[in-house]
């Protein structure tokens, strides 16, 4: 049997592995719109996942991630592009499960937008297990839009409205399954901000009756709307920019 120290060491290495792979994913999401060879970043991610499935040890998996990061950084990029920047937020399972969200990350990468995800497995481990009082249970960062927790990850979802304003994102995509009450409440906050302040947000509700084509059409239309909005803003201000699209 393993000792407590061995178990603790294995858990720590696993957490480090999760964070390292999430960092690779984040870099791929940000680099994808700039790549000269369309789909290269996505291909590197897929190959990394397959190789990690065959890895026999954690050290082997970490080595695969390091090699994938080198490949990602070596890709030729068009640095003069100015792609749309989106925040992807919502219910945690819908965000982390590709089957559950109909591969929304692949869709966004194919559309040539740069995006960030607010919630992940590593985020959950950090804020729920390792540091709950400084994470999910903390009320140090007050949000006037939702000052108290109502369950689930509604507070984190609404926090993205503040990030959108401060960090210059072009829009927000909220993902959640049908019937998720916390995210429905968060959606009502977004709806009010969209009406009163023009917050560009798309709420996508997934259920077993929805087809992937319908979700794809909505996301494509939202991205196209944001692109046209930026072009119009630049025309009115007398500036021109190149929106990176594949």
């Amino acid at each position: 049997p393993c000792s407590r120290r061995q178990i603790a060491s294995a858990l720590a290495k696993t957490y480090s592995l999760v964070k390292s792979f999430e960092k690779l994913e984040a870099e791929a999401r940000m680099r994808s719109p700039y790549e000269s060879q369309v789909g290269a970043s996505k291909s590197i991610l897929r190959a990394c996942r397959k190789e990690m499935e065959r890895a026999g040890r954690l050290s082997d998996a970490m080595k695969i991630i390091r090699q994938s990061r080198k490949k990602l950084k070596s890709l030729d990029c068009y640095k003069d592009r100015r792609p749309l920047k989106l925040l992807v937020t919502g219910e945690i399972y819908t965000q982390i499960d590709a089957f559950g969200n109909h591969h929304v990350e692949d869709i966004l990468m194919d559309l040539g937008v740069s995006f960030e995800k607010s919630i992940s497995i590593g985020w959950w481990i950090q804020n729920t297990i390792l540091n709950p009082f400084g994470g999910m249970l903390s009320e140090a960062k007050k949000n006037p839009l939702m000052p108290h927790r109502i369950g689930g990850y509604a507070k984190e979802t609404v926090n993205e409205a503040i990030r959108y304003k401060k960090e210059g994102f072009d829009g927000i995509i909220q993902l959640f399954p049908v019937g998720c009450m916390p995210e429905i409440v968060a959606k009502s906050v977004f709806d009010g901000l969209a009406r009163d302040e023009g917050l560009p947000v798309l709420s996508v509700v997934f259920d077993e009756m929805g087809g992937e084509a319908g979700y794809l059409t909505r996301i494509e239309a939202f991205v196209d709307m944001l692109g046209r909005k930026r072009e119009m803003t630049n025309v009115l201000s007398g500036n021109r920019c190149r929106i990176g699209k594949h």
Side-chain angles (χ1 to χ4, degrees):
C2 298
S3 65
R4 291 184 178 180
R5 179 176 294 179
Q6 289 174 317
I7 293 173
S9 176
L11 290 174
K13 290 179 181 178
T14 301
Y15 174 66
S16 178
L17 177 68
V18 170
K19 294 294 288 184
S20 295
F21 183 71
E22 289 181 350
K23 188 173 182 180
L24 174 68
E25 286 185 310
E27 291 179 359
R29 296 185 199 115
M30 298 302 291
R31 283 177 172 268
S32 178
Y34 300 95
E35 61 192 13
S36 57
Q37 182 182 351
V38 178
S41 298
K42 190 166 63 173
S43 297
I44 290 173
L45 273 182
R46 286 179 176 175
C48 180
R49 290 191 183 101
K50 290 181 179 179
E51 290 181 31
M52 287 175 64
E53 289 175 359
R54 296 192 294 265
R57 297 179 298 178
L58 289 173
S59 59
D60 295 335
M62 288 293 288
K63 183 178 179 181
I64 292 169
I65 293 174
R66 287 194 295 268
Q67 291 173 343
S68 298
R69 289 189 68 186
K70 289 182 180 178
K71 293 178 183 178
L72 192 64
K73 291 181 178 180
S74 67
L75 293 177
D76 293 329
C77 296
Y78 294 122
K79 296 182 179 180
D80 61 328
R81 285 178 177 169
R82 289 189 57 199
L84 295 170
K85 291 176 58 180
L86 302 181
L87 282 169
V88 178
T89 186
E91 190 266 338
I92 184 170
Y93 182 78
T94 312
Q95 284 200 68
I96 65 177
D97 182 66
F99 179 79
N101 62 37
H102 292 265
H103 302 276
V104 69
E105 291 189 31
D106 289 345
I107 292 173
L108 291 173
M109 292 176 80
D110 290 340
L111 290 174
V113 301
S114 176
F115 64 99
E116 293 184 17
K117 287 175 60 177
S118 60
I119 293 177
S120 64
I121 295 176
W123 175 91
W124 183 86
I125 294 173
Q126 172 65 29
N127 291 278
T128 308
I129 299 176
L130 300 180
N131 188 25
F133 293 100
M136 289 187 63
L137 300 181
S138 174
E139 294 294 338
K141 296 181 179 179
K142 295 293 183 180
N143 184 342
L145 302 172
M146 186 173 287
H148 304 291
R149 294 195 173 277
I150 61 171
Y153 301 92
K155 188 175 176 66
E156 283 73 23
T157 297
V158 174
N159 283 346
E160 297 305 88
I162 296 177
R163 280 195 66 197
Y164 161 78
K165 293 180 180 179
K166 290 183 177 179
E167 300 180 27
F169 285 88
D170 294 290
I172 300 174
I173 295 180
Q174 179 193 16
L175 311 174
F176 64 95
V178 64
C180 180
M181 187 56 67
E183 292 300 324
I184 291 174
V185 175
K187 180 182 181 302
S188 68
V189 176
F190 281 158
D191 289 344
L193 291 172
R195 181 184 63 250
D196 300 334
E197 300 183 17
L199 176 73
V201 58
L202 172 67
S203 296
V204 183
V205 185
F206 295 97
D207 62 25
E208 71 279 6
M209 302 300 292
E212 185 171 338
Y215 299 123
L216 173 60
T217 300
R218 291 188 64 199
I219 294 172
E220 284 181 336
F222 181 65
V223 170
D224 185 61
M225 180 203 72
L226 294 177
R228 291 176 181 274
K229 178 183 176 182
R230 181 192 281 186
E231 289 176 358
M232 182 60 67
T233 301
N234 287 325
V235 169
L236 293 175
S237 64
N239 297 321
R240 294 296 181 108
C241 72
R242 179 182 178 186
I243 299 176
K245 286 187 178 182
H246 293 331

